[in-house]
Amino acid sequence: MAFFEKPLTRKDVFSIPNIMGYFRILLIPVYVLLYYHAESVKEYYIAAVLVGISGITDMLDGKVARHFNMITELGKVLDPVADKLTLGAMILCLAFRYENMRWLVGLFIVKEGFMGIMGLLLSHYRGRKLDGAKWYGKVCTAFSYVVMFVLFFFLRLPLSLVNALIVCCGVLMVVAWMLYVPVFVKMWKEKE
């Protein structure tokens, strides 16, 4: 089975929501480099503003796609990929600033690697795709985004609060991951 059910058209590839998704992905190395090389509060805030622009674009692309009936198969893949790359980049940036964030980097890579590999295996060998994120995946992603935005914008939070937020993100990631395992197992066992 092909990854996309029908061939992609130029209109699908260059729809406004998909262009916003490409923009979000292209912003990633810009704010990562800005954050990594920041030497002043102003430079950290410039990186944070770019992350904020990425977040606004994320909200807009879905609204535009639904309102103007521009939902595409490519967009259904591109948007979550852009989400995961953005979240991963934010976690990585913050790992340069907060030592305990490095554990979250590893957990994020393992969890999302598992999700990606299982999605590819199911698509290739069973002709099946996960029909959107489950509620616990959405909660985990939303909470993680909020925490990362807070840590990007508020540079002088007490380390104890930062560590507590990191632990909460880690716990939610593990819980979401463990709840996805039986979903993938069930999908693997089901007949086409």
Side-chain angles (χ1 to χ4, degrees):
M1 175 180 171
F3 193 75
F4 296 109
E5 293 178 14
K6 58 183 184 177
L8 296 174
T9 66
R10 183 176 174 84
K11 185 178 175 183
D12 292 336
V13 173
F14 295 106
S15 71
I16 292 169
N18 289 348
I19 290 171
M20 286 190 232
Y22 307 142
F23 175 72
R24 286 172 54 212
I25 292 170
L26 291 173
L27 265 184
I28 292 169
V30 177
Y31 63 73
V32 168
L33 287 171
L34 283 170
Y35 193 91
Y36 179 72
H37 292 291
E39 294 179 357
S40 68
V41 171
K42 180 182 176 184
E43 291 171 332
Y44 279 114
Y45 282 137
I46 291 170
V49 166
L50 290 178
V51 169
I53 290 169
S54 176
I56 291 167
T57 306
D58 182 24
M59 288 188 291
L60 287 176
D61 70 1
K63 289 184 188 298
V64 169
R66 286 185 293 277
H67 184 75
F68 294 102
N69 197 26
M70 293 180 168
I71 296 170
T72 65
E73 288 300 308
L74 175 61
K76 290 178 186 178
V77 174
L78 180 65
D79 188 57
V81 166
D83 288 346
K84 298 305 179 187
L85 289 174
T86 300
L87 183 56
M90 291 170 70
I91 292 169
L92 183 62
C93 285
L94 292 165
F96 294 120
R97 187 170 175 85
Y98 303 108
E99 188 175 330
N100 286 335
M101 189 65 74
R102 294 173 192 160
W103 291 100
L104 208 58
V105 170
L107 179 58
F108 180 82
I109 290 169
V110 171
K111 175 190 173 277
E112 295 306 327
F114 168 82
M115 299 289 291
I117 289 168
M118 288 305 299
L120 289 172
L121 289 173
L122 282 167
S123 176
H124 183 75
Y125 291 107
R126 295 288 193 255
R128 301 179 59 91
K129 286 190 257 185
L130 191 62
D131 190 28
K134 302 293 183 192
W135 69 268
Y136 39 85
K138 290 179 181 181
V139 167
C140 174
T141 300
F143 182 81
S144 298
Y145 258 110
V146 169
V147 167
M148 298 310 132
F149 277 121
V150 165
L151 295 179
F152 253 77
F153 281 97
F154 300 101
L155 300 172
R156 294 188 172 90
L157 292 174
L159 190 56
S160 58
L161 177 57
V162 170
N163 288 334
L165 291 171
I166 291 169
V167 168
C168 288
C169 279
V171 167
L172 277 176
M173 280 185 194
V174 169
V175 168
W177 179 17
M178 292 301 108
L179 290 173
Y180 270 112
V181 169
V183 172
F184 284 122
V185 169
K186 181 180 178 194
M187 288 175 68
W188 187 266
K189 290 179 176 178
E190 287 176 349
K191 303 272 190 220
E192 287 186 48

